[in-house]
Amino acid sequence: VTEEDDLQKLDDALGVEDGLARDYIKTAYSKFTGAKDLLPGEDCGEQGLVAGTSQCQLGIMQEDMPEPYEQEDFLCPVRPLLPAKKQIKIFRKKAKTGMLRMNA
């Protein structure tokens, strides 16, 4: 891509910030936007697989991220995971909720 118009189209399609930067921006502007429950596990609004359950996203893991390594197999979080102590505080607020599920 060498033309300025093509570069702008590429930026529009892909976005110019990575997921981590967007997450930090969302947190930074939360006092103006009113966004709440920004920490992993706080927002559990998505319907679960069984009636009466909900899903809480704790993290997003990607294979060979941020770049592929040909001779190594590993997963890396897209955004930093919370320290265990902070994550447990969030879990304690949901005392009657069972939280165990892993996506493949």
Side-chain angles (χ1 to χ4, degrees):
V1 179
T2 56
E3 297 296 321
E4 188 65 34
D5 289 341
D6 291 338
L7 288 172
Q8 185 61 44
K9 289 177 187 176
L10 184 62
D11 279 348
D12 290 343
L14 298 176
V16 292
E17 295 136 357
D18 64 10
L20 181 59
R22 283 193 302 270
D23 192 50
Y24 286 142
I25 290 169
K26 184 178 178 182
T27 302
Y29 284 105
S30 66
K31 74 177 190 178
F32 303 111
T33 63
K36 295 181 181 176
D37 298 330
L38 299 174
L39 294 175
E42 286 185 321
D43 180 22
C44 299
E46 189 176 334
Q47 177 66 33
L49 298 176
V50 178
T53 64
S54 59
Q55 293 185 35
C56 305
Q57 187 172 7
L58 302 179
I60 300 170
M61 304 294 281
Q62 287 187 345
E63 185 177 15
D64 294 332
M65 198 277 188
E67 55 191 55
Y69 293 92
E70 293 179 15
Q71 298 180 358
E72 299 292 330
D73 292 328
F74 64 95
L75 290 175
C76 188
V78 174
R79 296 180 187 99
L81 302 174
L82 286 182
K85 197 170 187 177
K86 284 186 180 182
Q87 193 69 71
I88 288 172
K89 283 183 180 180
I90 293 171
F91 288 163
R92 284 190 178 142
K93 293 177 186 177
K94 300 171 185 301
K96 296 183 180 184
T97 306
M99 297 191 199
L100 182 60
R101 179 169 187 246
M102 184 165 180
N103 294 342

